[in-house]
Amino acid sequence: ARQHAARSLIMAQKGHQGTSRRRARTTFDAGTRRTQIIPSAIAIATVLVGAIFPGADAGARYSFVARPCSAHVRVHSMMVASDPASGTRSAHVKHAKDILAAHEAAETKIGHGEGLNSHVGISAFAEGVHAALSDARRIDELVGQFAYWGSVRQTGHQPAIGHGNIKRALGQLLLGSAAGAAGPSDVTARFRTMRPLTSHEVEAASDLSNWPVEGAAAAAMASGSAAAAAHRARSSHDAQHPSAPSAWHLDLVLDRGAPGHGDARVLDLRLHFDPEGSVDILEVYENTPSLISRADSPELSPLGPQWETFDGRTTQRIWLCANCFTDPTNTLLRDTLELSTGRLVAVVDRTVWELYEDDIRGWCDREGVLLEPLVTPGNEDQKTMDNLLALLDELARVDPLRRSEPVLAIGGGVLTDMAGFACALWRRGIPWCRMPTTLLGMVDASVGVKVATNYHRKNGIGAFHSPLHTFIDPSFLHTVPIADIRSGVGEMMKAALIHDGTLFDLLEEEGERLIQERFTSAAKDAPAGGHLASDAAAEAIRRSVDAMLQCIGPDLWEESLVRPMDFGHSLSRTLEATEAFKLRHGEAVAIDCAFSTLVAAEKGLVTPEEAQRVLRCYAALGLPCSVRGVTADTYKRAVREITVHRDGLLRAPLPRGIGACAYADKITDEEVEAAFAKLEVFLAQEPHVLWDRKCSFNPETDIAS
């Protein structure tokens, strides 16, 4: 086994270095809200290809020494149950008991996962492994068990951090190939000895000098370890998560063919869980070789942006700063854009240009910068191939230098989508930055790296092209129509319901006032003509971006199909695609979230009281809960369409309580009908939440005062 691993490593070093530039690692620093995804030098998946299933020595037999367990620990016996009727998965505490984990007992009990129920995290991990081997698409559920800063580590190789990289690493580890193809694998798994890790083993995993990371990766790994520690410290004082972290050793036997009669491989797994039961670290050893040291990691500067992402090639820094153009003392744009040529190429939404031309030109005059404005339409119905080609013609005319003149896109999500796609296409990709001017653009589109335009369908063609910087300037919001502010709040409620209960509480208490104030106020200390976000508004925006970053930051390339932020996007695709409904994106998401919450209540994931609380909050905020013309059959069709879109598995994120997420693989017609019946009762009580075109696109309500 060591010879095959060595040959694979040599192959990776000689022939495959540089072929895996999108291998990434992620950390999240809750203190600075800084996220980085750092590329690996050698992909773990490549190294494991030949090592897991050696072809030349297929008939070889390996012998392994199983270490007996002698620790006497008190644990909870857990049962992980799958409900075929509802399509949900849940874990239940059966009872507490003392387990003397001896090798003989473990060998007979663990088998196919039975004895693993002594720890909910291990039980879920074992179930995930077996599910992935029975259907390779289920690898996404296993990846979803990893924490935001989780990692798969194998000595001698760069850690796989970020859900996309973890998926590739686990795919190679379990399946011997990239995961995702439907159908069962010819590999089966057996778990053998199980014991808690010693304090020395836990400390070794936390010691960053044991892992061969380099440069920026080392800095990010240090930041991630600090973030994880801070998270555990906070969680230990959280009444909802009082449990302490735990770490366990498992022997995983992967059999190809009948157990004992085919190829077998034994892996020493060390699972470190955070207080919420997510996998923090998965260490993979073949025979526990000597750990490899590295140079001390550089420290991250305490100064910098509120958030950062890295897609494997480009670092995006996300800044939250008001009055970038109007405040003469605000030097953020000058300091970060690095306009060494003295020219700024700006793609500007036509409406934004009409409102802010003087401010933008004034800033350029003060900074001595030549402005090249490319004024472009930015409405959803103008997100077309014709306008994209016109924008490419404009880029050809001004011909920005390929690396020294990043294009600045200023406008809503449609404008930044289309401008980013044009930059991705022009000269095979030129650098760009974005400044979203709508609430929806600030809390939703500001994190991701997807860019697109409509062609035959919504976002029919596009790319992944990360901006260098994103500038969130709330001072733009005071001229955004109230209807568009509410649309942005629809996306914020999505993040609140599925990920951040505190954000839900904040919007429930302050949301209507924030909407009427457009999340800004003309504060006394604001510069002349400027606006500042109130403390509550700034907190709501920060929490929304945090939620997006924590959920999609580890997988910016969307390689995993299990994504919490797909909540609100299971049914809304059908609503937006139906011309008769004529909905803004945030409005469609709000309607989806409201109905999906009622579906979650039918499945027992939220209580009837919680479902009614959500609907009452929507009514108080003036958010739509339905649109005229929608029927139960509309939602049944939407469920079928999104199932096809998601590779044949629904994987619908649903709220589990308020502020947490569960996934459903099945939503039955009966559940849709029952949820729709409850929705109709609420619509009769609160008719103003039943939307139509007059609510969504009324010129009288769209004019900013």
Side-chain angles (χ1 to χ4, degrees):
R2 288 196 299 273
Q3 290 173 348
H4 287 296
R7 284 199 294 270
S8 299
L9 178 58
I10 293 171
M11 176 190 69
Q13 290 174 331
K14 290 185 176 181
H16 295 274
Q17 280 184 335
T19 64
S20 306
R21 295 306 179 194
R22 292 191 334 209
R23 305 301 187 257
R25 66 171 307 254
T26 305
T27 62
F28 173 67
D29 188 324
T32 61
R33 293 180 174 86
R34 174 173 299 173
T35 298
Q36 294 178 310
I37 306 178
I38 308 299
S40 301
I42 303 174
I44 292 178
T46 305
V47 175
L48 292 176
V49 167
I52 296 179
F53 301 118
D57 299 330
R61 292 290 179 266
Y62 308 115
S63 60
F64 301 88
V65 177
R67 294 185 294 272
C69 300
S70 58
H72 188 254
V73 293
R74 181 176 296 275
V75 296
H76 290 288
S77 178
M78 312 299 296
M79 291 300 295
V80 175
S82 296
D83 184 353
S86 65
T88 59
R89 296 178 295 280
S90 58
H92 306 279
V93 177
K94 187 177 181 182
H95 57 81
K97 62 180 180 179
D98 290 329
I99 297 178
L100 182 60
H103 169 64
E104 294 80 5
E107 187 74 45
T108 56
K109 290 181 63 178
I110 290 179
H112 194 68
E114 177 185 355
L116 303 179
N117 292 326
S118 57
H119 183 277
V120 64
I122 295 177
S123 178
F125 182 82
E127 184 189 55
V129 169
H130 291 302
L133 293 176
S134 64
D135 185 341
R137 296 173 298 177
R138 292 295 187 188
I139 196 90
D140 289 324
E141 278 78 0
L142 184 60
V143 172
Q145 296 182 29
F146 281 76
Y148 176 75
W149 47 76
S151 62
V152 175
R153 305 179 184 179
Q154 185 182 29
T155 53
H157 311 297
Q158 289 278 350
I161 304 185
H163 282 195
N165 292 311
I166 290 174
K167 178 178 179 177
R168 286 190 291 272
L170 292 178
Q172 292 290 352
L173 186 69
L174 299 176
L175 307 171
S177 62
S185 166
D186 61 350
V187 181
T188 58
R190 292 178 289 134
F191 291 90
R192 301 202 307 188
T193 57
M194 182 180 79
R195 63 173 175 82
L197 294 182
T198 65
S199 59
H200 174 74
E201 290 169 326
V202 173
E203 291 171 1
S206 302
D207 185 356
L208 300 185
S209 65
N210 292 331
W211 304 100
V213 289
E214 303 170 355
M221 196 165 181
S223 175
S225 296
H231 172 77
R232 295 188 193 102
R234 289 193 307 275
S235 297
S236 64
H237 294 86
D238 190 334
Q240 293 181 340
H241 307 293
S243 60
S246 60
W248 294 80
H249 162 270
L250 291 173
D251 275 340
L252 169 61
V253 184
L254 296 173
D255 294 297
R256 168 167 282 178
H261 299 282
D263 294 338
R265 182 176 181 78
V266 175
L267 298 173
D268 177 346
L269 304 183
R270 299 181 185 183
L271 286 147
H272 303 254
F273 296 94
D274 69 12
E276 297 175 347
S278 299
V279 180
D280 187 356
I281 301 169
L282 170 60
E283 300 176 77
V284 182
Y285 299 94
E286 293 191 47
N287 54 359
T288 317
S290 300
L291 297 175
I292 299 175
S293 62
R294 59 159 183 81
D296 292 338
S297 60
E299 294 184 358
L300 288 172
S301 169
L303 303 176
Q306 280 79 7
W307 304 272
E308 289 185 5
T309 68
F310 190 84
D311 69 348
R313 185 180 68 178
T314 303
T315 298
Q316 174 195 196
R317 295 177 172 85
I318 306 174
W319 310 81
L320 177 59
C321 187
N323 304 296
C324 289
F325 288 118
T326 57
D327 184 359
T329 65
N330 189 333
T331 64
L332 177 63
L333 292 179
R334 182 191 68 196
D335 296 339
T336 54
L337 288 177
E338 299 179 0
L339 302 174
S340 57
T341 65
R343 185 174 72 149
L344 173 62
V345 178
V347 180
V348 189
D349 179 281
R350 183 176 295 162
T351 302
V352 173
W353 183 248
E354 293 171 357
L355 292 168
Y356 294 97
E357 177 184 358
D358 291 344
D359 292 336
I360 297 172
R361 288 193 183 278
W363 179 87
C364 290
D365 291 342
R366 288 195 305 272
E367 298 297 333
V369 172
L370 174 64
L371 176 65
E372 291 277 10
L374 311 183
V375 181
T376 305
N379 292 335
E380 181 66 38
D381 59 352
Q382 296 166 322
K383 192 178 180 183
T384 63
M385 280 296 296
D386 288 342
N387 283 325
L388 175 69
L389 292 173
L391 181 53
L392 287 170
D393 288 341
E394 284 293 278
L395 286 176
R397 178 181 63 81
V398 299
D399 198 17
L401 296 181
R402 193 171 184 186
R403 294 292 176 261
S404 303
E405 291 181 331
V407 174
L408 177 62
I410 309 172
V414 170
L415 183 283
T416 57
D417 249 15
M418 196 157 57
F421 189 35
C423 291
L425 293 173
W426 183 247
R427 302 184 69 181
R428 298 189 182 94
I430 59 174
W432 71 296
C433 305
R434 65 185 163 198
M435 180 177 280
T437 58
T438 64
L439 184 61
L440 185 67
M442 293 177 187
V443 302
D444 183 52
S446 64
V447 174
V449 300
K450 295 187 297 184
V451 292
T453 195
N454 298 338
Y455 185 66
H456 290 300
R457 59 181 298 174
K458 181 179 175 67
N459 297 325
I461 57 173
F464 292 90
H465 188 47
S466 176
L468 298 176
H469 300 280
T470 294
F471 305 100
I472 298 177
D473 186 345
S475 64
F476 283 104
L477 296 177
H478 80 281
T479 55
V480 173
I482 288 292
D484 286 312
I485 294 291
R486 290 193 199 277
S487 178
V489 172
E491 281 283 358
M492 298 174 80
M493 287 293 289
K494 170 200 73 175
L497 286 170
I498 209 72
H499 189 73
D500 187 350
T502 301
L503 176 59
F504 181 88
D505 295 340
L506 176 61
L507 293 174
E508 185 179 42
E509 182 176 348
E510 303 279 355
E512 181 54 28
R513 177 180 65 82
L514 295 178
I515 290 172
Q516 294 305 320
E517 293 178 352
R518 293 180 170 86
F519 284 75
T520 62
S521 61
K524 294 180 180 179
D525 53 348
H531 289 73
L532 296 174
S534 65
D535 289 344
E539 179 68 10
I541 292 173
R542 279 196 297 266
R543 283 190 169 275
S544 297
V545 177
D546 276 348
M548 287 293 296
L549 200 66
Q550 292 173 33
C551 289
I552 74 172
D555 188 23
L556 292 171
W557 293 82
E558 295 190 352
E559 294 177 276
S560 173
L561 295 178
V562 178
R563 298 190 292 265
M565 287 304 161
D566 276 352
F567 179 58
H569 294 72
S570 295
L571 311 176
S572 61
R573 289 171 55 91
T574 299
L575 300 180
E576 288 186 90
T578 305
E579 181 65 24
F581 299 144
K582 199 69 175 179
L583 293 166
R584 289 174 169 85
H585 177 67
E587 294 168 346
V589 169
I591 292 171
D592 184 332
C593 290
F595 187 76
S596 295
T597 300
L598 292 173
V599 171
E602 292 301 313
K603 290 182 174 294
L605 295 171
V606 302
T607 65
E609 293 76 18
E610 289 172 327
Q612 288 300 309
R613 181 188 174 194
V614 170
L615 294 179
R616 288 194 301 270
C617 182
Y618 269 55
L621 298 178
L623 293 173
C625 293
S626 188
V627 60
R628 200 174 302 280
V630 164
T631 65
D633 288 337
T634 306
Y635 288 129
K636 293 175 187 177
R637 174 167 58 90
V639 170
R640 291 192 294 270
E641 290 175 352
I642 197 64
T643 301
V644 173
H645 176 72
R646 292 176 182 165
D647 200 25
L649 294 173
L650 179 58
R651 294 181 172 114
L654 294 174
R656 179 168 52 84
I658 294 177
C661 179
Y663 296 91
D665 289 328
K666 181 190 299 183
I667 295 177
T668 66
D669 288 352
E670 292 75 16
E671 289 169 337
V672 170
E673 292 168 357
F676 195 80
K678 290 182 172 62
L679 178 61
E680 287 187 308
V681 172
F682 184 76
L683 294 177
Q685 299 169 351
E686 303 284 351
H688 69 284
V689 299
L690 178 60
W691 234 233
D692 58 25
R693 282 176 180 249
K694 292 181 180 178
C695 296
S696 187
F697 291 95
N698 186 340
E700 295 181 1
T701 62
D702 280 1
I703 297 175
S705 59

